[in-house]
Amino acid sequence: MHENDLKFTGDMSAADFRKYGYAMVDWIANFFDTIEDRPVLPAIQPGDIRSKIPSSAPKLPEAFEKMIADIDRVIMPGMTHWNHPRYLAYFSSVGSAPGVLGELLAAALNINGMLWQSCPSSTELEQVTTAWMRQLLGLPDHFFGVIYDTGSVSTMHALAAAREQMADLQIREKGMTGRADLPRLRLYISEHTHSSIDKAALALGIGMEGIRRIPSDANFAMQPEALRTAIQEDRSTGWRPFCVVATIGTTSTTAVDPVAEIANICEREDLWLHVDAAYAGSAAILPEMQHHFAGWEKADSVLVNPHKWLFVPLDLSLMYTRKPGVLRRAFSLVPEYLRTAHDDNVVNFMDYGIPLGRRFRSIKLWFVLRYYGVDGLMARLRYHIQLAQNLAQKIDADSDFERVAPTHFSTVAFRACPAGWQDEDALNKLNARLLEAVNATRRFYLTHTKIGGKFVLRIAIGNIRTEARHIEDVWQLLRTMLRDVLKNVQNA
Ligand SMILES: Cc1ncc(COP(=O)(O)O)c(C=O)c1O
């Protein structure tokens, strides 16, 4: 009989918490230690995991030992391991050890940082860590920082502020429906902007037709001249341009939009400029990478995701704006029960967004920044960039492969293109089969994109545990698998 079987009030005892807490930490330490021995991708079918779990919650308390055992029995077989050094898909998102411990503490403290008073430590640590990051990123001191859960949510808040900036439209007061006096709003993005920007536009009533995609150049960067022309065209046909989103490090190829030029256009046209640096933003802490970020200090809002390439576990997105008053105007709404005596002298972060409840997210960022130190973080990012550059050179030197975009940061976009393969359709099928073959080994996880009709493979390096030998392994595997796939094609 377990002690818990008889208890129907109160929480786990401190003694049990210690016991199971140590067991859980042991499990996690062992997981980190042995992660490389595990496949990156699971070998399962949809429904396999659910079938191992009862269809309703247990009526009586269960033993914690059994719960820990079920992590291995039930959960591990269905894991795509984002923390794995051979995970090279999408962009990485790494739960580093100090970040995991920060999450544990945040859960234990379990505050709600909606108001300064509802947890002064949370509010002030958020102010301090966002200021530390602002300095590291090289953004000016007047940028106000706020932590949201994801980049998508950061962008949604930035675009809401952009909409609110058009005070003459009185959207906060009158809404956007049933109004003959409201012009159609236009948002400018590039062909390679992340879908989260479209989603934010959907949520904010801009609509898909309100999004205008500006063509990109040969390096997949937005063409400022085309942007200028589009704005003029729209103004002359009754649209109301209000916002441009530029990206530093696009999702497919990590292209860099010419932010400085775009910022000048936005200034002249009185448009809000939002810079999405969700992935690449972390690289701004490196002086030698700062040139990619030229002009972002002129943006109205900037987003960087430490949960992508700064080793902070999901979720933590940083949003900076030089117009906090506009963001606040978009979202502040204070019912009586949330008023405090300090309101005039403090930041109440609930005023800067939709969520009222706010987790103590800054604590894991604080832990990561302190544990690795700025020099430690810089060294790790430099290592990833070096790994990507080395891989890019190997791809360039191999006549069976080609890169399809410049490698600005730590992500390489490439495809197989063996001699004699000219037909684009056939090349696309070949690359799709190659990707499938690599992932079928479950030793690596790569993902793809489509650029200009081409099926493109990506290797995104950003995991704190990834080393040169992993990248060499994936490269050799790609070459071997290509030979196999070609053999199969010839025999078919
Ligand atoms: C450039 C870019 N922006 C935004 C996002 C969305 O970030 P999140 O997953 O935090 O919402 C991504 C996701 O990969 C991205 O690549």
Side-chain angles (χ1 to χ4, degrees), residues 82 90-92 149-155 192-197 247-252 276-280 303 305 307-308 314-317 458:
W82 286 66
Y90 305 110
F91 286 133
S92 70
D149 51 3
T150 58
S152 308
V153 166
S154 290
T155 285
H192 299 282
T193 307
H194 189 259
S195 54
S196 56
I197 287 68
T247 309
I248 300 177
T250 59
T251 312
S252 285
D276 177 358
Y279 151 72
L303 120 75
N305 270 2
H307 75 214
K308 279 193 168 27
L314 260 170
D315 48 11
L316 194 150
S317 177
R458 291 167 77 264

Side-chain angles (χ1 to χ4, degrees), residues 246-269:
T247 309
I248 300 177
T250 59
T251 312
S252 285
T253 66
T254 71
V256 177
D257 289 336
V259 173
E261 269 182 86
I262 295 170
N264 288 340
I265 296 172
C266 289
E267 199 172 18
R268 216 169 307 125
E269 298 284 346

Side-chain angles (χ1 to χ4, degrees), residues 378-424:
M378 283 180 166
R380 286 168 174 84
L381 297 188
R382 283 193 177 115
Y383 182 53
H384 290 164
I385 292 167
Q386 193 55 53
L387 293 180
Q389 298 305 325
N390 293 348
L391 176 64
Q393 278 176 13
K394 285 181 182 157
I395 291 170
D396 291 349
D398 191 311
S399 57
D400 282 342
F401 288 89
E402 68 175 8
R403 264 189 308 145
V404 297
T407 306
H408 296 304
F409 303 102
S410 64
T411 300
V412 188
F414 66 102
R415 67 172 183 168
C417 61
W421 285 69
Q422 257 99 38
D423 181 71
E424 284 296 330

